[in-house]
Amino acid sequence: MEKEKEENLLSNKNGDETKFPLCKYGSNCYRKNPDHFKQFSHPKRKPDINIDSSPKKKRKIDDDSQESETPPSENKEEKNKVEEENNTEESKEEGKGNEGKSNENEVVLECPPTPPSMDIKEEIEWKFKVFMPQDFYDFWDFCKTQNESSPSDALIDLGLQLVGPYDVLSGKLSATKNKRPNYVLHYRYYYDPPEFQTVVKGDDDSQFHLGYYRDEPKKAPVFVASNKSKVNNLFTPQGENLFAATKLQLDVAIGKIKDSKKKQSLEKLSKELCGFAKKHDYSLDVKTAAMKARERLVVAKTFHSAGIVVKVDENDVGYRPIPETNASLKKMFKSIADSKNEEVRMKKFEALQELTTIVQFANDECDYGQGYELGLDLFSYGGDVFHKTIKNLLSVAYQLLEREEFWEILEAHLAQRNVDNVSQL
């Protein structure tokens, strides 16, 4: 009997018709609780891309050298049904659509209404496609001790402000009267890869910002990193948590400041932050043992320097290097981007096309990391001319690596990749 129940539950999860009543969210249902699937049935989604993942003999490439479909779209009929049920109440709080300008030929993905009955952690995960670690919430509590009425502004004297997912905690995203925000784009800067989620902004001149960098969407971040989007595409580790990253910013600011009164204020803030972090057992080290352990797993540094981690088995299957150095790749990309006309550009594109063909061989032989690296390098280099190739490479890579949430983020970002307008408020 128990086995029969499990089979019914599995059938229900896979979207088959059962004796259960239809869930009102249909194939768009966000719930993960098994009890929910015991009570309601869910229509089938369109099938995923059929990719043969059976192990094959690895194709060798000289060790001395250094277009697939996108994930299926949601059923439009079901999506419209959900929006009709929720749109009236949600639009009062969040509005509809996307803010900002996009290219005429690009599709801006609409963000559906927020499902009801979510706690705050579920809501943030649903909106941003990744969950926030405990230090995210504890750091908010610390900022409350500094500015109870507006925790987001608690670090203004340091030139920092809490943004991104923190705008859900503050209520700013719910209170917006503009079109419904596309949440994954909220404070997503030009060079931010899907693996990075901004939570703190600095000055607008350099677009300094801090955020979590993670290797997998369903796992905890591996460190907090910083980037200056108007300066470069590099992401620099700042510690394992927000307390360590903020302490580092305080140390730098205190060392530079000459105004004695402001210096005393920042020293007081630093002391209180250290006390709070110690009480809650957060390391303030810039590089922890866990971060060092992760460095040993990095298979390629990538242009953004944070590196990528993919599973490599005992037979060394999982990653093979791109047969070009970073310097030669940048030279190749530059020649394409700077082409004087379309004819010249197509000719220059031939070298990149050869690399994408090599990536296809690598994918066939289960070395998924190569296409992942090349796709991220193209994204970090920047330029609309590479968007189609980026989509082709990373839509496949993220699916093969089972990191589909990163693809959802990237797809929205490429459709609306703004340099200046990063806030969805």
Side-chain angles (χ1 to χ4, degrees):
M1 179 63 72
E2 189 64 32
K3 183 176 180 182
E4 184 178 349
K5 286 182 180 179
E6 290 178 2
E7 289 176 350
N8 284 338
L9 176 58
L10 179 59
S11 174
N12 195 21
K13 275 187 175 182
N14 290 334
D16 296 335
E17 292 184 5
T18 71
K19 60 184 179 181
F20 302 110
L22 180 68
C23 172
K24 71 175 182 177
Y25 298 110
S27 61
N28 296 319
C29 181
Y30 66 91
R31 296 183 183 275
K32 300 177 183 178
N33 191 326
D35 290 337
H36 176 73
F37 290 94
K38 292 178 182 178
Q39 301 174 38
F40 299 95
S41 63
H42 299 76
K44 288 183 179 179
R45 289 180 179 270
K46 293 181 182 180
D48 290 336
I49 302 169
N50 184 19
I51 299 177
D52 182 8
S53 59
S54 57
K56 302 177 182 179
K57 186 175 180 181
K58 186 174 177 182
R59 177 177 178 271
K60 292 184 178 179
I61 290 183
D62 185 4
D63 289 333
D64 292 332
S65 64
Q66 293 254 344
E67 183 161 84
S68 75
E69 297 176 68
T70 58
S73 60
E74 294 180 342
N75 185 289
K76 290 184 180 178
E77 188 175 328
E78 290 293 337
K79 182 176 179 181
N80 290 337
K81 187 184 296 182
V82 175
E83 289 196 3
E84 286 175 6
E85 293 177 6
N86 296 279
N87 206 33
T88 302
E89 182 177 348
E90 276 295 322
S91 61
K92 291 179 182 178
E93 297 181 352
E94 299 177 358
K96 296 181 287 183
N98 292 290
E99 178 188 294
K101 298 179 180 179
S102 61
N103 293 339
E104 269 185 23
N105 297 325
E106 289 180 332
V107 177
V108 179
L109 306 179
E110 290 188 3
C111 196
T114 305
S117 306
M118 281 185 167
D119 66 30
I120 195 69
K121 292 184 179 181
E122 288 176 325
E123 183 180 349
I124 289 174
E125 182 175 354
W126 183 84
K127 287 180 173 177
F128 292 89
K129 307 296 181 186
V130 291
F131 81 97
M132 293 296 117
Q134 188 56 44
D135 74 278
F136 172 84
Y137 299 98
D138 288 341
F139 192 73
W140 178 257
D141 288 340
F142 166 73
C143 289
K144 279 183 178 180
T145 67
Q146 303 299 309
N147 189 336
E148 186 175 359
S149 62
S150 182
S152 297
D153 299 325
L155 306 177
I156 287 295
D157 287 347
L158 186 57
L160 301 177
Q161 184 179 30
L162 277 56
V163 295
Y166 278 122
D167 288 331
V168 176
L169 291 181
S170 69
K172 291 179 182 178
L173 276 178
S174 296
T176 178
K177 295 180 180 179
N178 295 333
K179 297 176 181 179
R180 182 183 299 130
N182 193 329
Y183 304 108
V184 298
L185 299 179
H186 187 48
Y187 280 98
R188 181 158 295 280
Y189 292 82
Y190 187 84
Y191 289 114
D192 289 357
E195 291 77 4
F196 183 85
Q197 176 60 58
T198 300
V199 293
V200 177
K201 72 177 285 288
D203 68 280
D204 292 330
D205 291 337
S206 69
Q207 288 191 333
F208 175 85
H209 54 293
L210 295 167
Y212 292 109
Y213 186 93
R214 63 190 80 217
D215 292 319
E216 299 182 46
K218 295 175 183 176
K219 292 187 177 180
V222 290
F223 51 73
V224 173
S226 68
N227 169 253
K228 294 181 178 180
S229 191
K230 287 282 184 77
V231 179
N232 57 45
N233 58 13
L234 302 179
F235 287 80
T236 307
Q238 304 283 294
E240 194 173 90
N241 56 73
L242 285 173
F243 293 95
T246 306
K247 176 64 165 59
L248 181 60
Q249 296 305 310
L250 280 165
D251 290 344
V252 172
I254 291 170
K256 291 181 177 179
I257 201 164
K258 296 180 179 179
D259 185 294
S260 60
K261 188 174 181 180
K262 190 172 182 180
K263 185 172 185 177
Q264 287 178 0
S265 176
L266 292 182
E267 287 175 339
K268 180 176 179 290
L269 175 62
S270 180
K271 182 179 179 181
E272 291 176 358
L273 180 139
C274 291
F276 193 100
K278 183 177 180 180
K279 180 180 178 181
H280 292 79
D281 200 27
Y282 287 114
S283 170
L284 295 177
D285 294 339
V286 176
K287 183 175 287 188
T288 64
M291 292 169 66
K292 292 176 183 177
R294 188 258 179 187
E295 283 183 349
R296 294 192 287 271
L297 299 176
V298 170
V299 296
K301 272 296 182 184
T302 63
F303 285 8
H304 62 46
S305 79
I308 57 170
V309 172
V310 297
K311 184 178 180 181
V312 178
D313 68 18
E314 63 276 6
N315 297 315
D316 201 29
V317 174
Y319 170 79
R320 67 179 66 170
I322 299 170
E324 296 282 349
T325 65
N326 278 355
S328 63
L329 280 177
K330 289 175 183 178
K331 184 177 180 181
M332 181 192 302
F333 299 166
K334 181 174 172 41
S335 69
I336 295 170
D338 294 348
S339 296
K340 295 180 179 179
N341 55 57
E342 191 62 25
E343 183 179 353
V344 174
R345 177 170 291 138
M346 292 304 294
K347 185 69 177 175
K348 298 289 186 181
F349 239 111
E350 290 178 4
L352 180 56
Q353 185 58 50
E354 288 180 13
L355 287 182
T356 61
T357 300
I358 290 173
V359 165
Q360 290 171 4
F361 282 119
N363 285 339
D364 287 342
E365 296 169 5
C366 303
D367 285 332
Y368 307 144
Q370 187 182 68
Y372 182 28
E373 179 187 3
L374 182 58
L376 282 182
D377 282 348
L378 280 166
F379 176 84
S380 293
Y381 188 84
D384 293 352
V385 67
F386 299 116
H387 282 188
K388 183 177 180 181
T389 306
I390 293 169
K391 289 178 182 179
N392 290 340
L393 289 167
L394 290 181
S395 62
V396 173
Y398 284 133
Q399 185 174 10
L400 292 173
L401 293 168
E402 299 182 350
R403 302 176 186 182
E404 288 89 350
E405 291 86 350
F406 285 161
W407 165 246
E408 293 180 52
I409 294 169
L410 180 67
E411 186 180 28
H413 195 187
L414 291 178
Q416 192 172 320
R417 198 175 180 188
N418 292 317
V419 175
D420 294 307
N421 187 22
V422 296
S423 173
Q424 292 286 296
L425 294 177

